[in-house]
Amino acid sequence: MIIRSRDCLRGEPSRRLLESCLAEFMVDRGRLDRLFDSYNGRSGILDRTRPEGMPNNRLVHPFPRAITAVSSGYLLGKPVRYAADGDLSRLLSAFEAADIDAVDGELARNAAVCGRGVELIWSDDNAEPRSAAVDPRRAFVVYDDTVAARPLMGMLVEPIADETGKRTAARLRVLTAAAEYVYPCSPMGAVGKKLSETNHFFGAVPLIEYWNDESERGDFEPVLSLIEAYDRLQSDRMNDKQQFVDALLLLSGCTMETDERGRSPGAQLREDKVLVLPDAEASASWLCKQLNEADTEVLKNAIAADIHRLSMIPDLTDESFAGNASGVALRYKLMGLEQLTRIKEKWFREGLRQRLRAYAAFLKLRGIPVPDPDAVRIIFTHALPVEEDDRKENTP
């Protein structure tokens, strides 16, 4: 969380304030890039090198994507529902027009990957409120230093590409509770002179963060080193297998020469499949590494079990998990995931509440009646297996 005193922002933000916030945010950029790379299958094992001639298998296992899919899918098993004593139809219609369910899914995924999702709210050409999930590696919110930690301003860096697609520059969009400011921005975080200033009518900062937990950590981040260890183990396992297949032939008491057809010793063995030894004292044997598959398999299973246990994401393909069809038993096995989801739900609800306030303020200015956003009930439905009674009453 980036914190500044509310006294630092009086109308238009100063260049010094903007550059200091950007510099603080960039400190964490390397961690975010690593998490997104892992989610997209660009594991550290892909950078491993070995001496020339040695097998160099680099196997990537998509644990991050599987963990993210289960955790975010469980949080939003069904679209978020809203209830209130007043008429919510106009507000829900605005949500539907903004395709808010798809936005929620992307926000939940980003929060599971890097620890937070970021939503941008704006009005389109028809003065209708719209929402989009933006890249959390390029957007963040600055909070004030009070106990309430209220949003002070939002900052979004948008790369600018030329005709060839090369990103040559960037612009910085700064959103306060009243206006949006646009500045040129260099890759190093230097901010230029203001390009434009536009008022918006959302009554709050229209850039909202959806935290994954109180530490803004991704779901697979605590077990990322275990996932990389699993990749190394399986890659080395394949390397050993390949080296075993490519084992050297050790000859004792004899030598092989190029034959009359000009074939090398290796070519003779591959083509003739015959090896003639000169006398009884000569011998031939394969020079290869002894593989202990049992120990390797035990280690592989132990690492995989730790990944699931410590991330609190159950292995849904495990035989002992799938073999028990009792709904109550499944609930016990999903207890860790349930507790994790409760934490995610708490912080996700905070972001949804800010969205409700922004949409309500905008619609009220247009004369559209909406209930008090703080009185709206936000309802999550988890994708929890339910045991159903197969016995049904027969009706005539």
Side-chain angles (χ1 to χ4, degrees), residues 63 66-72 74 219-220 304-316 321 333-334 336-337 340-341 344:
F63 277 107
I67 291 172
T68 298
V70 172
S71 64
S72 60
Y74 191 72
D219 287 335
F220 60 84
D306 283 345
I307 291 172
H308 289 288
R309 178 173 59 86
L310 298 176
S311 66
M312 292 187 283
I313 304 297
D315 183 2
L316 302 178
F321 187 93
K333 292 180 179 180
L334 292 170
L337 176 60
L340 174 68
T341 306
K344 294 163 68 73

CSV table of all heavy atoms in Angstrom, one decimal, residues 63 66-72 74 219-220 304-316 321 333-334 336-337 340-341 344:
chain,number,residue,atom,x,y,z
A,63,PHE,N,1.1,-25.3,-12.3
A,63,PHE,CA,0.5,-25.2,-11.0
A,63,PHE,C,-0.1,-23.8,-10.7
A,63,PHE,O,-1.2,-23.7,-10.2
A,63,PHE,CB,1.5,-25.5,-9.9
A,63,PHE,CG,1.7,-27.0,-9.6
A,63,PHE,CD1,2.9,-27.6,-10.0
A,63,PHE,CD2,0.8,-27.7,-8.9
A,63,PHE,CE1,3.1,-29.0,-9.8
A,63,PHE,CE2,0.9,-29.1,-8.7
A,63,PHE,CZ,2.1,-29.7,-9.1
A,66,ALA,N,-3.4,-23.5,-12.4
A,66,ALA,CA,-4.4,-24.4,-11.8
A,66,ALA,C,-4.9,-23.8,-10.4
A,66,ALA,O,-6.1,-23.8,-10.1
A,66,ALA,CB,-3.9,-25.8,-11.6
A,67,ILE,N,-3.9,-23.4,-9.6
A,67,ILE,CA,-4.3,-22.8,-8.3
A,67,ILE,C,-5.2,-21.6,-8.5
A,67,ILE,O,-6.2,-21.4,-7.8
A,67,ILE,CB,-3.0,-22.4,-7.5
A,67,ILE,CG1,-2.3,-23.7,-7.1
A,67,ILE,CG2,-3.3,-21.5,-6.3
A,67,ILE,CD1,-0.9,-23.5,-6.5
A,68,THR,N,-4.8,-20.7,-9.5
A,68,THR,CA,-5.6,-19.5,-9.7
A,68,THR,C,-7.0,-19.8,-10.2
A,68,THR,O,-8.0,-19.2,-9.8
A,68,THR,CB,-4.9,-18.6,-10.8
A,68,THR,OG1,-3.6,-18.2,-10.3
A,68,THR,CG2,-5.7,-17.4,-11.1
A,69,ALA,N,-7.1,-20.8,-11.1
A,69,ALA,CA,-8.4,-21.2,-11.6
A,69,ALA,C,-9.4,-21.7,-10.5
A,69,ALA,O,-10.6,-21.4,-10.5
A,69,ALA,CB,-8.3,-22.2,-12.7
A,70,VAL,N,-8.8,-22.5,-9.6
A,70,VAL,CA,-9.6,-23.1,-8.6
A,70,VAL,C,-10.0,-22.0,-7.6
A,70,VAL,O,-11.2,-21.9,-7.2
A,70,VAL,CB,-8.9,-24.2,-7.8
A,70,VAL,CG1,-9.7,-24.7,-6.6
A,70,VAL,CG2,-8.7,-25.4,-8.8
A,71,SER,N,-9.1,-21.2,-7.1
A,71,SER,CA,-9.4,-20.2,-6.1
A,71,SER,C,-10.3,-19.1,-6.6
A,71,SER,O,-11.3,-18.8,-5.9
A,71,SER,CB,-8.1,-19.6,-5.6
A,71,SER,OG,-7.4,-18.8,-6.6
A,72,SER,N,-10.1,-18.6,-7.8
A,72,SER,CA,-10.9,-17.5,-8.3
A,72,SER,C,-12.3,-18.1,-8.7
A,72,SER,O,-13.3,-17.4,-8.5
A,72,SER,CB,-10.3,-16.8,-9.4
A,72,SER,OG,-10.0,-17.7,-10.5
A,74,TYR,N,-13.8,-20.6,-7.3
A,74,TYR,CA,-14.5,-21.0,-6.1
A,74,TYR,C,-15.1,-19.7,-5.5
A,74,TYR,O,-16.2,-19.7,-5.0
A,74,TYR,CB,-13.6,-21.7,-5.1
A,74,TYR,CG,-14.3,-22.3,-4.0
A,74,TYR,CD1,-15.1,-23.4,-4.1
A,74,TYR,CD2,-14.2,-21.7,-2.7
A,74,TYR,CE1,-15.8,-24.0,-3.0
A,74,TYR,CE2,-14.9,-22.3,-1.6
A,74,TYR,CZ,-15.7,-23.4,-1.8
A,74,TYR,OH,-16.3,-24.0,-0.7
A,219,ASP,N,-2.2,-16.1,-4.7
A,219,ASP,CA,-2.5,-17.4,-4.1
A,219,ASP,C,-1.4,-18.4,-4.2
A,219,ASP,O,-1.2,-19.2,-3.3
A,219,ASP,CB,-3.8,-18.0,-4.7
A,219,ASP,CG,-5.0,-17.2,-4.3
A,219,ASP,OD1,-5.0,-16.7,-3.2
A,219,ASP,OD2,-6.0,-17.2,-5.1
A,220,PHE,N,-0.6,-18.4,-5.3
A,220,PHE,CA,0.5,-19.3,-5.4
A,220,PHE,C,1.8,-18.7,-5.0
A,220,PHE,O,2.8,-19.4,-5.1
A,220,PHE,CB,0.5,-19.9,-6.8
A,220,PHE,CG,0.7,-18.8,-7.9
A,220,PHE,CD1,2.0,-18.4,-8.2
A,220,PHE,CD2,-0.3,-18.3,-8.6
A,220,PHE,CE1,2.2,-17.5,-9.2
A,220,PHE,CE2,-0.2,-17.4,-9.6
A,220,PHE,CZ,1.1,-16.9,-9.9
A,304,ALA,N,4.6,-32.1,-4.5
A,304,ALA,CA,3.2,-31.8,-5.0
A,304,ALA,C,2.2,-31.6,-3.9
A,304,ALA,O,1.4,-30.7,-3.9
A,304,ALA,CB,2.7,-32.8,-6.0
A,305,ALA,N,2.4,-32.5,-2.9
A,305,ALA,CA,1.5,-32.5,-1.7
A,305,ALA,C,1.7,-31.2,-0.9
A,305,ALA,O,0.7,-30.6,-0.4
A,305,ALA,CB,1.7,-33.7,-0.8
A,306,ASP,N,2.9,-30.8,-0.8
A,306,ASP,CA,3.2,-29.5,-0.1
A,306,ASP,C,2.6,-28.3,-0.8
A,306,ASP,O,2.1,-27.4,-0.2
A,306,ASP,CB,4.7,-29.3,0.1
A,306,ASP,CG,5.3,-30.2,1.2
A,306,ASP,OD1,4.5,-30.7,2.0
A,306,ASP,OD2,6.5,-30.4,1.3
A,307,ILE,N,2.7,-28.3,-2.1
A,307,ILE,CA,2.2,-27.2,-2.9
A,307,ILE,C,0.7,-27.1,-2.6
A,307,ILE,O,0.2,-26.0,-2.4
A,307,ILE,CB,2.4,-27.5,-4.4
A,307,ILE,CG1,3.9,-27.3,-4.7
A,307,ILE,CG2,1.6,-26.5,-5.3
A,307,ILE,CD1,4.3,-27.7,-6.1
A,308,HIS,N,0.0,-28.2,-2.7
A,308,HIS,CA,-1.5,-28.1,-2.5
A,308,HIS,C,-1.8,-27.8,-1.0
A,308,HIS,O,-2.7,-27.0,-0.7
A,308,HIS,CB,-2.1,-29.4,-2.9
A,308,HIS,CG,-2.2,-29.7,-4.3
A,308,HIS,ND1,-3.0,-29.0,-5.2
A,308,HIS,CD2,-1.5,-30.5,-5.1
A,308,HIS,CE1,-2.8,-29.4,-6.4
A,308,HIS,NE2,-1.9,-30.3,-6.4
A,309,ARG,N,-1.1,-28.4,-0.1
A,309,ARG,CA,-1.4,-28.1,1.3
A,309,ARG,C,-1.1,-26.7,1.7
A,309,ARG,O,-1.9,-26.1,2.4
A,309,ARG,CB,-0.5,-29.1,2.2
A,309,ARG,CG,-0.7,-28.9,3.7
A,309,ARG,CD,0.0,-30.0,4.4
A,309,ARG,NE,1.4,-30.0,4.1
A,309,ARG,CZ,2.3,-29.3,4.8
A,309,ARG,NH1,1.9,-28.5,5.8
A,309,ARG,NH2,3.6,-29.3,4.5
A,310,LEU,N,0.0,-26.2,1.3
A,310,LEU,CA,0.4,-24.8,1.8
A,310,LEU,C,-0.3,-23.7,1.0
A,310,LEU,O,-0.5,-22.6,1.5
A,310,LEU,CB,1.9,-24.6,1.6
A,310,LEU,CG,2.8,-25.6,2.5
A,310,LEU,CD1,4.2,-25.4,2.3
A,310,LEU,CD2,2.4,-25.4,4.0
A,311,SER,N,-0.8,-24.0,-0.2
A,311,SER,CA,-1.6,-23.0,-0.9
A,311,SER,C,-3.0,-23.1,-0.6
A,311,SER,O,-3.8,-22.3,-1.0
A,311,SER,CB,-1.4,-23.2,-2.4
A,311,SER,OG,-1.9,-24.5,-2.9
A,312,MET,N,-3.4,-24.2,0.2
A,312,MET,CA,-4.8,-24.5,0.6
A,312,MET,C,-5.7,-24.7,-0.6
A,312,MET,O,-6.9,-24.5,-0.5
A,312,MET,CB,-5.3,-23.3,1.5
A,312,MET,CG,-4.6,-23.2,2.8
A,312,MET,SD,-5.4,-22.1,4.0
A,312,MET,CE,-4.7,-20.5,3.3
A,313,ILE,N,-5.1,-25.2,-1.7
A,313,ILE,CA,-5.9,-25.5,-2.9
A,313,ILE,C,-5.9,-27.1,-3.0
A,313,ILE,O,-4.8,-27.6,-3.2
A,313,ILE,CB,-5.4,-24.9,-4.1
A,313,ILE,CG1,-5.3,-23.4,-4.0
A,313,ILE,CG2,-6.2,-25.3,-5.3
A,313,ILE,CD1,-6.7,-22.7,-3.8
A,314,PRO,N,-7.0,-27.8,-2.8
A,314,PRO,CA,-6.9,-29.2,-2.8
A,314,PRO,C,-6.6,-29.8,-4.2
A,314,PRO,O,-6.9,-29.1,-5.2
A,314,PRO,CB,-8.3,-29.6,-2.3
A,314,PRO,CG,-9.2,-28.5,-2.7
A,314,PRO,CD,-8.3,-27.3,-2.5
A,315,ASP,N,-6.0,-30.9,-4.2
A,315,ASP,CA,-5.8,-31.6,-5.5
A,315,ASP,C,-7.0,-32.3,-5.9
A,315,ASP,O,-7.4,-33.4,-5.4
A,315,ASP,CB,-4.6,-32.6,-5.3
A,315,ASP,CG,-4.2,-33.3,-6.6
A,315,ASP,OD1,-4.9,-33.0,-7.7
A,315,ASP,OD2,-3.4,-34.2,-6.6
A,316,LEU,N,-7.8,-31.8,-6.8
A,316,LEU,CA,-9.1,-32.3,-7.2
A,316,LEU,C,-9.0,-33.6,-8.0
A,316,LEU,O,-9.9,-34.3,-8.2
A,316,LEU,CB,-9.9,-31.3,-8.0
A,316,LEU,CG,-10.1,-29.9,-7.3
A,316,LEU,CD1,-10.9,-29.0,-8.2
A,316,LEU,CD2,-10.9,-30.1,-6.0
A,321,PHE,N,-9.5,-38.1,-2.9
A,321,PHE,CA,-10.4,-36.9,-2.9
A,321,PHE,C,-11.7,-37.3,-3.7
A,321,PHE,O,-12.8,-37.1,-3.2
A,321,PHE,CB,-9.8,-35.7,-3.5
A,321,PHE,CG,-10.6,-34.5,-3.4
A,321,PHE,CD1,-10.4,-33.6,-2.3
A,321,PHE,CD2,-11.5,-34.1,-4.3
A,321,PHE,CE1,-11.2,-32.5,-2.2
A,321,PHE,CE2,-12.3,-33.0,-4.2
A,321,PHE,CZ,-12.1,-32.1,-3.2
A,333,LYS,N,-12.7,-31.6,3.3
A,333,LYS,CA,-11.5,-31.6,2.5
A,333,LYS,C,-11.3,-30.2,1.9
A,333,LYS,O,-10.2,-29.8,1.5
A,333,LYS,CB,-11.5,-32.6,1.4
A,333,LYS,CG,-11.4,-34.1,2.0
A,333,LYS,CD,-11.5,-35.1,0.9
A,333,LYS,CE,-11.4,-36.5,1.4
A,333,LYS,NZ,-11.5,-37.5,0.4
A,334,LEU,N,-12.4,-29.5,1.8
A,334,LEU,CA,-12.4,-28.1,1.2
A,334,LEU,C,-12.3,-27.0,2.3
A,334,LEU,O,-12.4,-25.8,2.0
A,334,LEU,CB,-13.6,-27.9,0.4
A,334,LEU,CG,-13.7,-28.7,-0.9
A,334,LEU,CD1,-15.1,-28.5,-1.6
A,334,LEU,CD2,-12.6,-28.2,-1.9
A,336,GLY,N,-9.8,-25.8,4.0
A,336,GLY,CA,-8.7,-24.8,3.8
A,336,GLY,C,-9.1,-23.8,2.7
A,336,GLY,O,-8.9,-22.6,2.9
A,337,LEU,N,-9.6,-24.4,1.6
A,337,LEU,CA,-10.0,-23.5,0.5
A,337,LEU,C,-11.1,-22.6,1.0
A,337,LEU,O,-11.2,-21.4,0.6
A,337,LEU,CB,-10.5,-24.3,-0.7
A,337,LEU,CG,-11.0,-23.6,-1.9
A,337,LEU,CD1,-10.0,-22.6,-2.4
A,337,LEU,CD2,-11.5,-24.6,-2.9
A,340,LEU,N,-9.6,-19.8,3.0
A,340,LEU,CA,-8.9,-18.9,2.1
A,340,LEU,C,-9.9,-18.0,1.3
A,340,LEU,O,-9.7,-16.8,1.2
A,340,LEU,CB,-8.1,-19.7,1.1
A,340,LEU,CG,-7.4,-18.9,0.0
A,340,LEU,CD1,-6.3,-18.0,0.5
A,340,LEU,CD2,-6.9,-19.9,-1.1
A,341,THR,N,-11.0,-18.6,0.9
A,341,THR,CA,-12.0,-17.8,0.1
A,341,THR,C,-12.7,-16.8,1.0
A,341,THR,O,-13.1,-15.7,0.5
A,341,THR,CB,-13.0,-18.8,-0.5
A,341,THR,OG1,-12.3,-19.8,-1.2
A,341,THR,CG2,-14.0,-18.1,-1.4
A,344,LYS,N,-10.5,-13.8,0.9
A,344,LYS,CA,-10.6,-13.2,-0.4
A,344,LYS,C,-12.0,-12.4,-0.5
A,344,LYS,O,-12.0,-11.3,-1.0
A,344,LYS,CB,-10.5,-14.2,-1.5
A,344,LYS,CG,-9.1,-14.9,-1.5
A,344,LYS,CD,-9.1,-16.2,-2.4
A,344,LYS,CE,-9.4,-15.9,-3.8
A,344,LYS,NZ,-8.2,-15.3,-4.5
